[in-house]
Amino acid sequence: DAEITQSPRHKITETGRQVTLACHQTWNHNNMFWYRQDLGHGLRLIHYSYGVQDTNKGEVSDGYSVSRSNTEDLPLTLESAASSQTSVYFCASSPGTTDTQYFGPGTRLTVL
Amino acid sequence: QKEVEQNSGPLSVPEGAIASLNCTYSDRVSQSFFWYRQYSGKSPELIMSIYSNGDKEDGRFTAQLNKASQYVSLLIRDSQPSDSATYLCAVNGGSSGGYQKVTFGIGTKLQVIP
């Protein structure tokens, strides 16, 4: 069955380290998204991509970057982790810009 | 003003009752509306999508959309303890630099009491 996976599921890191969170989908969806979810804020968009080599900033993109070298993967990199980036991160994909988004299982990141 | 507003709850209803979850949005050009359910520690999963004014029913769930009032709601009939979760309203529409922005509300926590 087609699916969307994230790894690692849990990560503890130290302030200043570079961290990469993986997202892989087998639906062949063109659109992929990264969100963070924090209490009181709901889901906030970090970065998104409409296809290979396309990346765009969302509302909370500072300190994060993404790259899209193929249809299946959209890794999220925290260039220099900060405690404010402690959160639960969700990757999502959708076949079109007005279609439903399908979410991965999430990664819980703790920055000490 | 938040773009998508929901009461965070918790909303408590007895088992078998109708749960009514409400959402308002600020962008009048919004086109697509979604309700996601999120169990504690899990990822959001789609329950309903609605694109035109009126009601849309799927089993025990009914989504209602009123674009004039910028209001979307979710009714859950015959509520079960397994419906206890946080329900996220999401609104898709309104272009900004070519991106059709999806905005999520903070979610309403529903508790169904046995």
Side-chain angles (χ1 to χ4, degrees), chain A residues 14-33:
Chain A
E14 296 177 343
T15 301
R17 291 191 178 265
Q18 184 180 79
V19 176
T20 297
L21 308 182
C23 176
H24 178 81
Q25 52 98 2
T26 59
W27 283 305
N28 202 35
H29 286 169
N30 285 328
N31 305 329
M32 297 184 72
F33 308 85

Side-chain angles (χ1 to χ4, degrees), chain B residues 9-36:
Chain B
L11 172 67
S12 294
V13 299
E15 183 175 355
I18 296 176
S20 178
L21 305 164
N22 304 313
C23 172
T24 58
Y25 61 94
S26 61
D27 192 340
R28 287 191 169 274
V29 301
S30 298
Q31 300 170 5
S32 307
F33 306 85
F34 307 91
W35 282 100
Y36 287 82

Side-chain angles (χ1 to χ4, degrees), chain B residues 8-65:
Chain B
S8 60
L11 172 67
S12 294
V13 299
E15 183 175 355
I18 296 176
S20 178
L21 305 164
N22 304 313
C23 172
T24 58
Y25 61 94
S26 61
D27 192 340
R28 287 191 169 274
V29 301
S30 298
Q31 300 170 5
S32 307
F33 306 85
F34 307 91
W35 282 100
Y36 287 82
R37 177 176 61 199
Q38 186 175 23
Y39 291 113
S40 181
K42 302 296 185 182
S43 59
E45 57 178 331
L46 180 74
I47 299 176
M48 296 281 290
S49 58
I50 186 167
Y51 302 95
S52 55
N53 279 329
D55 295 358
K56 179 181 178 182
E57 186 174 320
D58 184 0
R60 295 187 296 113
F61 299 95
T62 299
Q64 299 175 317
L65 175 61

Side-chain angles (χ1 to χ4, degrees), chain A residues 34 36 44-47 56-66 76-86 89:
Chain A
W34 273 105
R36 60 178 290 174
R44 291 183 289 174
L45 183 66
I46 304 171
H47 282 286
N56 305 279
K57 294 181 179 181
E59 62 179 306
V60 290
S61 60
D62 287 348
Y64 303 93
S65 63
V66 293
L76 177 71
T77 297
L78 286 67
E79 293 137 12
S80 177
S83 58
S84 60
Q85 295 176 309
T86 293
Y89 291 85

